[in-house]
């Protein structure tokens, strides 16, 4: 555990220290977000936060490769190399978009290429559970490759879609990475696996780069992560999720919640990243029904709606943090509980109470206005 904490700290420190450099580069090359009708910021703000996050990723994995306990991850598995190569590609794609605002098809093609590289280099959703026999099914490449690429594309764009308020995407991704780390580490502890795993390492690094970037990005932001950052943390989130839910042989899962083992590989990624995935799904449905491209920007995301009922920028972000932590850690805790249903019911109940409180607060604010 101490080596994981060291990797987290190094990734956070390097990201924090290199963010001013990324800000300077953004101004030099003109990668600046000018206020638009759908934006909530009022002053021109530089992008390219992804460059600092990429530096933190490289530093964290380099330190891990030199530690006695975690060095076996790069020696025995290919995930870290795959993430470094694919992460660099998708960050460079984001840099181009932050500077020149690429069209949606070009950006999607680049995302598919980066996701394909990561998957072909070893990050693949390789196992699932047979619901009837509770045995492990091994996917062939004809299934594992497209399934893994699709999962990566969904998470990349989900993170991109929620990056609409200062500090929102970085905070939600950090919370999701924390929940993923907890799940991956507990899987190893309960099943007696070696505790150095690609999923836990990638989750620790992802949390580190997000936490290191957050002081520069929280309201009022001095730098936006831009697409270079949001797509990078989406890819990192996908890599850690696929590693823990797709490559662990769940037929041997020894967690207490034996009545729900077939649901765990699907439920955990949905729970941990429920907020961005839900926002992504609603956006795609909303835009498609209106006859528009799913990637056409609008001002109807969940965080925009929270703002519209009278909440401040910071309160809206903190509420999204709360829901991400509630659903993510609640889902993971339920998967390791002897009685998962009460935990799930409590999670839903607290979430509904928070929603009612939010609506009542918004109504009072509207009446005062």
């Amino acid at each position: 555990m101490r080596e994981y904490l060291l990797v987290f700290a190094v990734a956070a420190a390097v990201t924090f220290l290199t963010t001013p450099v990324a800000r300077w580069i953004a101004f030099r090359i003109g990668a600046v977000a000018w206020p638009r009708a759908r934006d909530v910021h009022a002053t021109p703000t530089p992008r390219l936060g992804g460059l600092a996050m990429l530096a933190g990723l490289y530093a964290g994995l380099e330190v891990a490769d030199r530690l006695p306990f975690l060095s076996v991850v790069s020696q025995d598995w290919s995930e870290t190399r795959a993430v470094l190569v694919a992460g660099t590609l998708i960050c460079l794609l984001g840099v181009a978009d932050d500077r020149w605002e690429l069209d949606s098809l070009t950006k999607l093609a680049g995302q598919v290429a980066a996701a394909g590289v990561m998957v072909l280099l070893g990050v693949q959703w390789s196992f699932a559970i047979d619901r009837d026999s509770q045995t492990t099914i091994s996917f062939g490449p004809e299934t594992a490759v497209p399934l893994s690429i699709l999962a990566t594309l969904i998470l990349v764009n989900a993170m991109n879609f929620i990056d609409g308020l200062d500090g929102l995407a970085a905070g939600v991704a950090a919370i999701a990475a924390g929940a993923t780390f907890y799940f991956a580490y507990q899987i190893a502890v309960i099943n007696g696996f070696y505790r150095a795993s690609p999923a836990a390492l990638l989750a620790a690094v992802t949390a580190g780069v997000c936490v290191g970037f957050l002081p520069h990005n929280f309201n009022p932001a001095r730098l936006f992560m831009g697409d270079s950052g949001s797509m990078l943390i989406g890819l990192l989130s996908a890599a850690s999720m696929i590693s823990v839910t797709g490559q662990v042989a769940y037929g041997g899962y020894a967690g207490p919640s034996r009545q729900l083992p077939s649901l765990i590989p699907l439920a955990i990624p949905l729970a941990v990243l429920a907020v961005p995935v839900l926002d992504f799904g609603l956006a795609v449905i909303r835009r498609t029904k209106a006859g528009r491209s799913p990637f056409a920007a609008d001002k109807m995301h969940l965080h925009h709606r929270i703002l519209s009922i009278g909440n401040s920028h910071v309160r809206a972000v903190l509420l999204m943090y709360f829901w991400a932590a509630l659903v993510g850690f609640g889902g993971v805790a339920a998967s390791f509980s002897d009685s998962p249903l009460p935990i799930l019911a409590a999670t839903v109940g607290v979430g509904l109470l928070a929603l009612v409180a939010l609506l009542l607060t918004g109504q009072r604010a509207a009446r005062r206005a």
Side-chain angles (χ1 to χ4, degrees):
M1 179 63 78
R2 284 179 296 181
E3 292 194 1
Y4 282 123
L5 291 175
L6 177 60
V7 168
F8 167 85
V10 168
V14 171
T15 303
F16 178 80
L17 293 174
T18 55
T19 296
V21 179
R23 188 174 186 271
W24 179 82
I25 295 173
F27 276 124
R28 292 285 293 179
I29 69 173
V32 178
W34 296 89
R36 298 164 295 184
R38 64 183 176 88
D39 292 329
V40 296
H41 66 283
T43 58
T45 307
R47 298 180 175 130
L48 294 189
L51 290 179
M53 302 172 95
L54 184 65
L57 171 66
Y58 269 87
L61 292 181
E62 178 65 23
V63 168
D65 201 35
R66 297 174 182 274
L67 296 174
F69 174 66
L70 290 178
S71 60
V72 299
V73 174
S74 61
Q75 295 170 7
D76 296 346
W77 290 284
S78 61
E79 278 90 337
T80 54
R81 181 170 62 92
V83 165
L84 285 175
V85 175
T88 301
L89 291 176
I90 207 164
C91 184
L92 292 177
L93 173 68
V95 168
D97 186 63
D98 289 341
R99 175 59 183 87
W100 293 289
E101 296 193 3
L102 306 176
D103 64 89
S104 58
L105 287 180
T106 301
K107 191 158 61 172
L108 179 61
Q111 292 172 355
V112 172
V117 167
M118 184 179 77
V119 170
L120 292 176
L121 287 178
V123 181
Q124 294 186 18
W125 201 319
S126 304
F127 297 99
I129 285 291
D130 185 289
R131 292 177 59 88
D132 297 322
S133 63
Q134 296 297 319
T135 57
T136 302
I137 300 174
S138 178
F139 292 142
E142 69 282 354
T143 302
V145 170
L147 182 62
S148 302
I149 291 176
L150 177 61
T152 302
L153 290 177
I154 290 174
L155 291 180
V156 164
N157 284 287
M159 284 299 176
N160 194 14
F161 278 23
I162 69 164
D163 185 27
L165 297 179
D166 296 349
L168 178 57
V172 169
I175 292 168
T180 304
F181 176 83
Y182 172 50
F183 182 68
Y185 194 80
Q186 283 298 105
I187 281 282
V189 171
I190 292 174
N191 289 275
F193 300 155
Y194 192 62
R195 298 183 187 183
S197 69
L201 175 58
L202 292 174
V205 173
T206 303
V209 299
C210 291
V211 169
F213 182 69
L214 202 51
H216 298 278
N217 187 235
F218 203 75
N219 185 258
R222 296 186 294 278
L223 178 75
F224 292 155
M225 66 170 62
D227 279 19
S228 58
S230 63
M231 293 195 298
L232 175 61
I233 61 174
L235 183 134
L236 292 176
S237 299
S240 57
M241 292 291 179
I242 291 171
S243 293
V244 71
T245 60
Q247 293 185 334
V248 173
Y250 281 93
Y253 174 70
S257 301
R258 293 300 300 173
Q259 60 265 52
L260 298 177
S262 62
L263 300 179
I264 288 173
L266 296 175
I268 293 304
L270 290 176
V272 170
L273 283 167
V275 171
V277 170
L278 175 63
D279 190 48
F280 172 75
L282 292 175
V284 170
I285 294 171
R286 179 177 65 248
R287 294 166 187 174
T288 304
K289 287 180 65 176
R292 303 166 60 207
S293 166
F295 300 99
D298 59 27
K299 207 170 182 178
M300 295 294 291
H301 289 286
L302 293 175
H303 49 272
H304 290 133
R305 299 189 184 204
I306 294 174
L307 287 174
S308 69
I309 61 174
N311 289 283
S312 67
H313 190 122
V314 172
R315 180 182 290 179
V317 170
L318 293 178
L319 282 169
M320 296 288 278
Y321 287 178
F322 169 74
W323 278 328
L326 176 68
V327 179
F329 283 97
V332 173
S335 71
F336 293 113
S337 172
D338 293 315
S339 304
L341 294 181
I343 294 178
L344 294 175
T347 300
V348 173
V350 172
L352 290 176
L353 288 175
L355 179 60
V356 170
L358 172 65
L359 294 175
L360 292 176
T361 303
Q363 288 176 354
R364 291 196 196 99
R367 282 196 295 267
R368 286 197 299 268

